């Protein structure tokens, strides 16, 4: 069958080849250590699971309102007020099938062919593809490692023209772990506001921050800014609930209402049972979240130190999320067994073949000098995996 032009344009994930190879090795009984995970290794909290079971037993298993039940919207509103003193009404909130779906809906209702959308790189893999699916054009804004992977206001200004409709922000960032303090954020947002841009702010890692940092949502910077911002968040990362598929957007009524219309013709409501579980997550005890973030921070500290001990690797110290994004380009041009390492894909293959460790090539995130290592895995695996990488790269000359 002939596929649509849209389907043919879709890029397969550059991470798939490596993941498939790692899986094949594992099924052959090879002891592969996986650093590819894009989700917390922790289980969903008990009170979340209990609430889901209660919802099933009470028959909460029917269609709900398209954008989620009122109780869920109230729980989201409560969280935003409690954590950030942000005020929203129910008409400004929509729940979807994970934040990825939320983002997809946003792009579909906001963008047309001819629109340009600024995506800071390194970026989360789905932004450019979702923008293209909405027929708009992603404009990549490269950030520099030396600047802590942060957008500089002048760089942003230089990427804006009359076609620019929106700016995507994601902090703490997947894959770099970079985040912004209030002053830095204001400087960027001022440029976006001057140009009349919509700000789509993916803050899904807001609770996973280190060194005592307090996350500052874009929308909290002022009433005008809040009006121009669509805040995206969800339960996947904060509450270790990736499989439940609940994400949300908070922002302009008209946009939310358009998203609801689109959702009404595509997925309808996110799973009713998951909505109740999400309410338990948003309103329940948050101590478990703090404990897990401390655990992530310990792993992060270990891994950053060990990677920086490797001669040709530089590893930026992330302030949030659960990834490190080491620069491995010092090994480019070196070889082993007659094969020259030329880019992040080659390095990733080398590490999988020689160290039996699976990492993700930076090219998938728009940065070919790096690889992404997730530390959402046990400390034992981290110690063993980093040891193996340390030994393997010694073979490169
Ligand atoms: C994981 C992730 C998402 C999507 O999460 P959902 O599971 O769809 O809620 C969105 N943005 C970033 C940056 C992510 O890492």
């Amino acid at each position: 069958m002939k596929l649509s032009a849209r389907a043919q344009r879709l890029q397969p994930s550059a991470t798939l080849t490596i993941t498939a190879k790692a899986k094949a090795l594992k099924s052959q009984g090879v002891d592969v250590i996986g650093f590819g995970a894009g989700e917390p290794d922790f289980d969903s909290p008990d009170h979340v699971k209990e609430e889901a079971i209660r919802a099933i037993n009470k028959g909460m298993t029917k269609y709900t309102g398209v954008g989620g039940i009122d109780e869920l919207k109230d729980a989201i509103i409560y969280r935003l007020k409690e954590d950030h003193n942000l005020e929203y009404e129910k008409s400004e909130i929509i729940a979807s099938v994970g934040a990825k779906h939320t983002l997809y809906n946003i792009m579909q209702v906001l963008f047309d062919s001819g629109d340009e959308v600024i995506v800071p790189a390194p970026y989360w893999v789905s932004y450019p593809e979702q923008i293209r699916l909405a027929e708009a054009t992603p404009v990549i804004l490269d950030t520099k490692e030396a600047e802590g992977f942060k957008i500089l206001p002048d760089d942003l200004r230089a990427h804006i023209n009359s076609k620019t409709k929106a700016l995507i922000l994601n902090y703490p960032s997947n894959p770099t772990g970079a985040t912004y303090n209030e002053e830095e954020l204001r400087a960027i947002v001022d440029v976006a506001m001057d140009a009349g841009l919509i700000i789509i702010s993916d803050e899904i890692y807001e609770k996973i921050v280190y060194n005592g940092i307090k996350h500052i949502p874009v929308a909290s910077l002022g009433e005008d800014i809040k009006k121009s911002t669509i805040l995206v968040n969800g339960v996947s990362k904060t509450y270790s609930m990736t499989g439940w598929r609940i994400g949300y957007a908070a922002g302009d009524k008209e946009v939310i209402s358009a998203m609801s219309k689109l959702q009404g013709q595509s997925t309808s409501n996110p799973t009713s049972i998951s909505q109740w579980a999400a309410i338990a997550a948003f309103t329940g005890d948050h101590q478990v979240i703090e404990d897990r973030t401390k655990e992530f921070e310990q792993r992060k500290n270990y891994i950053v130190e060990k990677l920086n001990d490797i001669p040709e690797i530089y590893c930026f110290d992330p302030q949030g999320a659960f990834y490190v994004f080491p620069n491995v380009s010092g090994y480019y041009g070196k070889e082993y067994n007659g094969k020259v390492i030329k880019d992040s894909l080659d390095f990733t293959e080398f590490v999988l073949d020689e160290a039996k460790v699976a990492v993700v090539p930076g090219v998938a995130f728009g940065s070919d000098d790096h690889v992404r290592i997730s530390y959402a895995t046990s400390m034992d695996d981290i110690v063993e995996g980093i040891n193996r990488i340390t030994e393997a790269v010694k073979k490169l000359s």
Side-chain angles (χ1 to χ4, degrees):
M1 268 177 235
K2 188 173 183 302
L3 296 176
S4 67
R6 190 181 320 108
Q8 290 182 50
R9 273 196 308 266
L10 257 183
Q11 290 298 310
S13 160
T15 60
L16 279 186
T17 25
I18 290 295
T19 316
K21 212 171 162 187
K23 271 204 181 121
L25 280 172
K26 255 189 194 155
S27 70
Q28 289 161 26
V30 180
D31 160 35
V32 177
I33 292 191
F35 283 149
E39 59 184 342
D41 52 317
F42 304 114
D43 198 1
S44 303
D46 285 339
H47 63 276
V48 165
K49 295 198 240 178
E50 279 152 20
E51 179 60 19
I53 292 164
R54 197 194 63 82
I56 292 173
N57 288 334
K58 283 191 74 179
M60 306 299 198
T61 53
K62 301 291 208 282
Y63 289 137
T64 74
V66 167
I69 53 179
D70 282 350
E71 291 88 338
L72 175 57
K73 291 182 187 176
D74 282 335
I76 292 166
I77 289 167
Y78 161 78
R79 215 44 285 150
L80 289 168
K81 172 80 185 156
E82 187 75 9
D83 293 349
H84 304 299
N85 204 24
L86 280 169
E87 300 206 5
Y88 288 95
E89 292 170 15
K90 283 205 263 291
S91 57
E92 298 170 309
I93 305 281
I94 181 171
S96 307
V97 188
K100 186 181 272 186
H101 182 219
T102 308
L103 286 159
Y104 179 85
N105 286 346
I106 293 171
M107 316 264 188
Q108 288 292 322
V109 305
L110 284 180
F111 305 145
D112 279 313
S113 141
D115 290 338
E116 293 189 1
V117 182
I118 298 178
V119 181
Y123 46 74
W124 184 54
V125 291
S126 294
Y127 302 135
E129 285 309 308
Q130 291 194 344
I131 292 163
R132 282 187 204 107
L133 279 169
E135 323 251 304
T137 307
V139 173
I140 306 302
L141 166 57
D142 284 312
T143 64
K144 293 186 191 66
E145 189 165 35
E147 304 287 351
F149 293 112
K150 293 180 202 210
I151 305 164
L152 300 179
D154 286 342
D155 273 353
L156 175 58
R157 206 172 285 117
H159 283 73
I160 297 175
N161 62 47
S162 59
K163 293 182 193 156
T164 314
K165 177 133 192 208
L167 164 69
I168 311 266
L169 289 179
N170 168 224
Y171 65 100
S173 153
N174 174 4
T176 67
T179 195
Y180 295 92
N181 65 30
E182 182 169 346
E183 195 187 338
E184 293 161 341
L185 203 55
R186 259 186 208 286
I188 299 164
V189 167
D190 281 351
V191 174
M193 291 295 289
D194 279 348
L197 304 190
I198 298 165
I199 301 170
I200 300 168
S201 192
D202 178 350
E203 303 180 18
I204 196 141
Y205 293 99
E206 69 151 325
K207 291 277 188 285
I208 306 174
V209 283
Y210 308 131
N211 309 320
I213 286 173
K214 171 137 177 44
H215 177 85
I216 299 161
V218 173
S220 70
L221 295 181
E223 233 2 82
D224 279 1
I225 296 169
K226 180 170 172 251
K227 283 200 183 98
S228 302
T229 301
I230 319 279
L231 168 64
V232 177
N233 207 327
V235 296
S236 285
K237 309 293 161 57
T238 301
Y239 304 101
S240 306
M241 289 175 68
T242 43
W244 300 81
R245 312 307 302 131
I246 298 287
Y248 71 84
D252 180 82
K253 265 192 202 72
E254 263 182 86
V255 175
I256 298 296
S257 157
M259 289 167 71
S260 179
K261 235 194 298 178
L262 174 65
Q263 195 160 299
Q265 299 293 10
S266 49
T267 58
S268 284
N269 62 273
T271 307
S272 57
I273 301 151
S274 296
Q275 292 188 53
W276 287 101
I279 293 169
F282 286 130
T283 59
D285 187 7
H286 274 60
Q287 186 58 46
V288 61
I289 311 308
E290 282 177 34
D291 296 345
R292 288 172 175 186
T293 298
K294 279 199 193 106
E295 164 107 33
F296 276 137
E297 186 162 10
Q298 282 167 8
R299 296 177 189 173
K300 187 268 295 175
N301 289 341
Y302 175 86
I303 208 165
V304 168
E305 191 187 324
K306 289 291 166 189
L307 285 172
N308 277 320
D309 281 346
I310 301 176
E312 301 288 346
I313 288 182
Y314 167 73
C315 184
F316 169 76
D317 189 7
Q319 293 112 36
F322 40 70
Y323 314 97
V324 286
F325 202 56
N327 188 323
V328 297
S329 63
Y331 287 106
Y332 297 177
K334 296 188 189 277
E335 64 172 83
Y336 174 66
N337 269 354
K339 186 161 185 329
V340 182
I341 309 279
K342 295 179 304 300
D343 53 26
S344 62
L345 209 52
D346 286 348
F347 186 85
T348 301
E349 269 180 20
F350 168 78
V351 165
L352 184 59
D353 290 342
E354 296 306 319
K356 306 287 181 270
V357 175
V359 302
V360 184
V363 67
F365 310 95
S367 179
D368 209 13
D369 283 347
H370 301 84
V371 295
R372 191 190 75 174
I373 293 176
S374 162
Y375 48 91
T377 186
S378 71
M379 200 60 207
D380 284 350
D381 273 5
I382 291 170
V383 172
E384 172 67 17
I386 299 299
N387 275 343
R388 288 190 195 177
I389 293 175
T390 308
E391 289 310 308
V393 294
K394 288 180 185 162
K395 300 179 192 169
L396 291 168
S397 58

